[in-house]
Amino acid sequence: MVFSLGRNRRSRNSIVSKLPFAKFLGPAASLGTVAAGLFMLVTGRVDLSMLDVFRGASESTASGGKAMPNLEPVKLQMGQKPQETIRVATFNIQGFGKTKMAKSDVMGTLARIVSQFDVVAIQEVKGGDSAPVRALVELLRKSGANYAATVSEPIGRTSQTESYAYIWDESRIFLVPGSAYVVQDPADRMHREPMVASFETRVGTAGGRRPFRFTMINVHTDPDEVKPSVVDNEMDVLDDVYVRVQQFDYQSTGEDDCILLGDLNVNSGGLRELGQIPGVRTIAGDVKTNTRKTKTYDHILIDHRVTTEFSGKFGVLDFVDELGLTQEAALQVSDHQPVWAEFSVYEVPSFAPVASNTELIR
């Protein structure tokens, strides 16, 4: 099934980028690692039905994850974006559908929030179409910004489906053509299979330095499927997704910068096998990410050995305080706050090759 926001060709005045999405085929369960890697190169993407990297992890090592060492969140200075770094964010816009779209004050607040970032991974787009995202991008463009977006097909096991979206500042970032897809999940291992897309900074080359290219894995887990008592925990599937997406990128393009981000519905102690991938860390750790500032749900994870473009700056945009909202008004916007991190606009040499991760699945 191919889902598209509209015609593949985008006119100069269109609001949202119209790129097709499909659940691409991935490696077959009976193939070995080498054959699986070749199959990914031929077919294009990842299949959740056959992945299992850390299924044999012991209870003592499968219960938690590690935060980036010696990092403290910083307050986001709203306004002009830095020139040498980009801001990547994840934002669950609770129930982002036509009801919320009809509230001008809420949409205005959302536009102000999104305008602070270069790329935003959005969860909980409701309604089965791209209308809310189109409206948000239109507001951003009316303010003089040059944003675009792309939206996945509706995803979920029940009638209450939702879509993922990416919104980005086209003056600073572009979506790598053909890179966006929704992971195939024929065995139904996740309620909402992740959406993947690759981006690159618009800086050109300077003194031999190349633009930063990175792949984002946008995730919204089912809270009932990440509880400690759940046997087929979605955290124990996402580790497989991360490793295979990173492996595919490295084999096909030589790039290894993968950023998994979204509403994971757990704190760092609940990351389980995802938190046990060598080198992978949650940037924000257990900083409170909900609007009431009581829980940690949202994360940005990177392999700190290879994604050395991370500047060390991150935080949670407290739009209650920053925009002078009441708690009631803020909850009309979302029950989550954006989590963000800054990365260099240029590629930076890594400390370790991604090949060390591929050994885990041989």
Side-chain angles (χ1 to χ4, degrees):
M1 173 184 177
V2 176
F3 174 80
S4 176
L5 296 181
R7 294 169 297 176
N8 291 335
R9 189 174 180 180
R10 181 155 56 102
S11 68
R12 182 177 180 182
N13 296 321
S14 65
I15 296 170
V16 183
S17 62
K18 300 174 176 66
L19 295 174
F21 285 84
K23 296 186 179 182
F24 293 85
L25 295 175
S30 61
L31 300 179
T33 300
V34 175
L38 291 173
F39 196 77
M40 281 191 290
L41 290 175
V42 173
T43 61
R45 305 296 184 256
V46 177
D47 183 336
L48 289 180
S49 64
M50 53 71 66
L51 302 179
D52 192 6
V53 177
F54 293 104
R55 189 63 61 186
S58 67
E59 287 298 321
S60 62
T61 61
S63 60
K66 298 179 181 179
M68 298 290 288
N70 304 319
L71 293 181
E72 293 293 334
V74 299
K75 183 177 179 180
L76 179 66
Q77 299 297 319
M78 296 186 68
Q80 189 172 2
K81 296 171 186 172
Q83 295 300 308
E84 294 299 314
T85 59
I86 58 168
R87 292 183 189 142
V88 172
T90 176
F91 191 15
N92 180 331
I93 305 179
Q94 180 191 22
F96 190 29
K98 293 182 179 179
T99 299
K100 188 164 289 188
M101 184 177 70
K103 299 177 179 179
S104 60
D105 55 338
V106 170
M107 291 297 290
T109 299
L110 286 171
R112 291 184 65 187
I113 292 170
V114 170
S115 69
Q116 304 306 306
F117 308 110
D118 295 293
V119 189
V120 186
I122 293 175
Q123 304 90 44
E124 278 204 41
V125 179
K126 297 288 189 176
D129 61 34
S130 60
V133 179
R134 288 177 182 271
L136 180 54
V137 172
E138 184 176 7
L139 276 178
L140 287 162
R141 290 193 168 187
K142 285 181 177 178
S143 71
N146 186 23
Y147 278 79
T150 194
V151 184
S152 78
E153 61 189 85
I155 302 167
R157 291 173 178 154
T158 69
S159 59
Q160 299 299 313
T161 59
E162 61 185 65
S163 298
Y164 295 108
Y166 289 103
I167 297 181
W168 65 93
D169 183 346
E170 285 203 306
S171 67
R172 288 164 57 88
I173 299 286
F174 71 88
L175 174 69
V176 175
S179 69
Y181 63 96
V182 174
V183 173
Q184 184 178 0
D185 186 16
D188 197 27
R189 298 183 68 189
M190 294 192 70
H191 187 156
R192 290 175 288 265
E193 53 267 41
M195 177 186 178
V196 181
S198 297
F199 299 88
E200 188 171 303
T201 56
R202 290 186 185 273
V203 293
T205 57
R209 305 175 74 186
R210 295 183 294 114
F212 178 38
R213 177 168 172 158
F214 55 98
T215 294
M216 298 173 70
I217 307 172
N218 190 355
V219 183
H220 184 197
T221 65
D222 182 337
D224 292 330
E225 299 297 326
V226 293
K227 294 178 180 177
S229 59
V230 175
V231 176
D232 296 323
N233 197 295
E234 291 189 344
M235 292 296 109
D236 299 338
V237 179
L238 287 175
D239 65 312
D240 307 331
V241 174
Y242 186 94
V243 169
R244 282 300 173 86
V245 170
Q246 188 184 49
Q247 179 188 29
F248 170 74
D249 281 359
Y250 188 70
Q251 289 175 331
S252 58
T253 68
E255 293 293 341
D256 50 14
D257 295 305
C258 285
I259 304 171
L260 187 148
L261 69 178
D263 177 8
L264 302 186
N265 282 299
V266 296
N267 59 21
S268 65
L271 292 174
R272 296 171 61 99
E273 294 178 6
L274 176 61
Q276 298 304 317
I277 303 173
V280 171
R281 299 288 185 267
T282 171
I283 288 177
D286 287 323
V287 175
K288 306 306 180 188
T289 65
N290 66 332
T291 304
R292 291 186 173 90
K293 305 175 188 177
T294 58
K295 299 287 185 180
T296 300
Y297 294 125
D298 310 273
H299 293 268
I300 299 176
L301 293 100
I302 62 170
D303 183 339
H304 74 95
R305 302 168 306 167
V306 297
T307 306
T308 48
E309 291 83 2
F310 175 51
S311 72
K313 291 185 178 180
F314 77 94
V316 177
L317 176 54
D318 186 349
F319 56 81
V320 178
D321 291 343
E322 289 297 323
L323 301 180
L325 302 178
T326 65
Q327 186 81 181
E328 181 181 2
L331 289 171
Q332 291 293 312
V333 177
S334 180
D335 59 351
H336 292 251
Q337 298 187 111
V339 179
W340 59 273
E342 286 190 5
F343 298 84
S344 170
V345 297
Y346 294 105
E347 290 280 354
V348 176
S350 62
F351 298 129
V354 73
S356 61
N357 269 358
T358 64
E359 295 293 329
L360 298 168
I361 57 176
R362 288 178 180 169

